[in-house]
Amino acid sequence: AYTRGELRAARSVSLVAPNLFSTVQVTRIAPMGSFAHEKDLVVEFDDSERRAQLEETELEVAQTEESIKQAEADLAIRNNQDQVDLLKARFAVRRAELDVKQNPLLSEIDRKKNLLALDETKRRLVQLQSDIKSRQEQAEAQIDSMREQRRRSLIDVVREKQRIAQSKMLSPMAGLVAVRQNRTTDFYFPGMQIPDIHEGDTLRPGIPVADILDLSELEVLARVGELDRANLHEGQEVSIALDAVPDQKFRGTI
């Protein structure tokens, strides 16, 4: 049985353009046919926009942290002042209570004045306690809001660092670099020569950029006719001739 087929690596890994929340520009790419060792840089994309965003986000985190520290310091000072005011208000109530105890010895007018003064001091104490509680809850809510903002900003920092890391694509294994064609355009015509991806090209996220081919094991994919199928079986030896090496024969197995 004779047929033509396609030679390819039995194991390969495709590298695709990362999602950097915009189109990505290739700044470096390994030459077609070059050999890449594991963790060698194969493709690098422009990450200047992401780095600028990272710096801005880190600045927001720093500003939010300073705001939190200032708010916590203001709250501590306010709490100390509130404790002093509470102490004064309680002392005023206590003094008014002592004045009321002297009412049996005083005139009717003075007794009424002392009772009114006691009611007024108690009312001020209750109002002060309510105001302090309200102010503290409001300040704590504001601090919690800033802490949540800082948490979201820290998440954004981690995301930006991950995107920057994705801008450098390393080879996951040792193998041959096969650069893909630049198919970012939707306009094609018969006979059109599609160029390979090269430095300076702008790509959409998710587009395959290059393949890493493991040359330790190769395979030939071919179609055979239905009549020849009965003569072929798994494990049968195959003689292979390659267009690239016409003067040499290779052995294979189905």
Side-chain angles (χ1 to χ4, degrees):
Y2 296 89
T3 184
R4 292 188 64 85
E6 177 185 352
L7 180 68
R8 66 183 186 184
R11 291 180 297 275
S12 64
V13 178
S14 294
L15 304 179
V16 299
N19 183 9
L20 302 183
F21 276 74
S22 62
T23 56
V24 290
Q25 185 178 31
V26 179
T27 56
R28 294 174 60 188
I29 187 168
M32 170 71 83
S34 60
F35 187 83
H37 296 279
E38 185 177 358
K39 295 185 180 180
D40 281 354
L41 178 64
V42 179
V43 188
E44 183 179 20
F45 299 94
D46 182 16
D47 60 356
S48 57
E49 184 177 347
R50 298 270 56 88
R51 289 189 178 276
Q53 183 62 40
L54 175 61
E55 292 179 1
E56 181 178 346
T57 307
E58 289 177 335
L59 179 60
E60 291 178 0
V61 172
Q63 291 175 342
T64 304
E65 288 179 346
E66 290 299 322
S67 299
I68 292 174
K69 292 179 181 178
Q70 183 64 42
E72 290 175 342
D74 293 342
L75 179 59
I77 295 173
R78 182 72 261 180
N79 287 338
N80 292 334
Q81 183 62 44
D82 289 340
Q83 293 303 318
V84 173
D85 294 341
L86 277 175
L87 184 62
K88 291 180 179 179
R90 292 192 180 102
F91 179 76
V93 172
R94 181 58 180 164
R95 184 172 55 186
E97 291 174 345
L98 293 176
D99 292 340
V100 169
K101 288 182 178 180
Q102 299 177 1
N103 277 357
L105 305 177
L106 302 177
S107 64
E108 182 69 18
I109 294 177
D110 291 335
R111 288 199 297 269
K112 289 183 179 180
K113 288 182 179 180
N114 289 340
L115 291 173
L116 291 174
L118 177 60
D119 291 341
E120 178 65 18
T121 54
K122 287 182 177 180
R123 185 190 63 80
R124 290 178 180 176
L125 176 60
V126 171
Q127 183 64 41
L128 179 60
Q129 290 173 333
S130 176
D131 292 343
I132 290 175
K133 182 180 179 181
S134 177
R135 282 198 302 268
Q136 187 168 8
E137 290 177 350
Q138 183 178 1
E140 289 177 351
Q142 183 180 5
I143 293 175
D144 289 341
S145 176
M146 288 188 290
R147 287 172 178 166
E148 177 63 20
Q149 180 181 351
R150 179 183 61 183
R151 187 188 68 83
R152 292 196 300 266
S153 297
L154 288 173
I155 293 176
D156 291 339
V157 168
V158 174
R159 289 175 178 171
E160 290 299 335
K161 289 182 178 179
Q162 290 175 345
R163 293 180 185 130
I164 292 174
Q166 292 174 358
S167 66
K168 292 180 174 60
M169 309 186 71
L170 309 181
S171 177
M173 63 180 184
L176 192 73
V177 177
V179 179
R180 291 290 192 97
Q181 293 178 327
N182 189 348
R183 296 182 176 272
T184 55
T185 179
D186 297 327
F187 175 75
Y188 298 100
F189 57 86
M192 177 180 177
Q193 295 293 328
I194 303 176
D196 294 335
I197 295 174
H198 60 273
E199 296 178 1
D201 284 353
T202 300
L203 309 176
R204 293 193 299 268
I207 290 181
V209 181
D211 296 318
I212 306 300
L213 310 178
D214 182 4
L215 301 183
S216 63
E217 183 179 356
L218 302 176
E219 65 182 6
V220 176
L221 179 66
R223 294 180 178 273
V224 297
E226 185 176 357
L227 297 178
D228 293 328
R229 173 64 183 87
N231 299 325
L232 304 178
H233 57 84
E234 188 174 351
Q236 187 174 356
E237 291 189 359
V238 179
S239 177
I240 304 171
L242 301 180
D243 292 339
V245 193
D247 57 344
Q248 188 175 353
K249 298 292 183 180
F250 298 88
R251 309 294 300 180
T253 303
I254 296 180

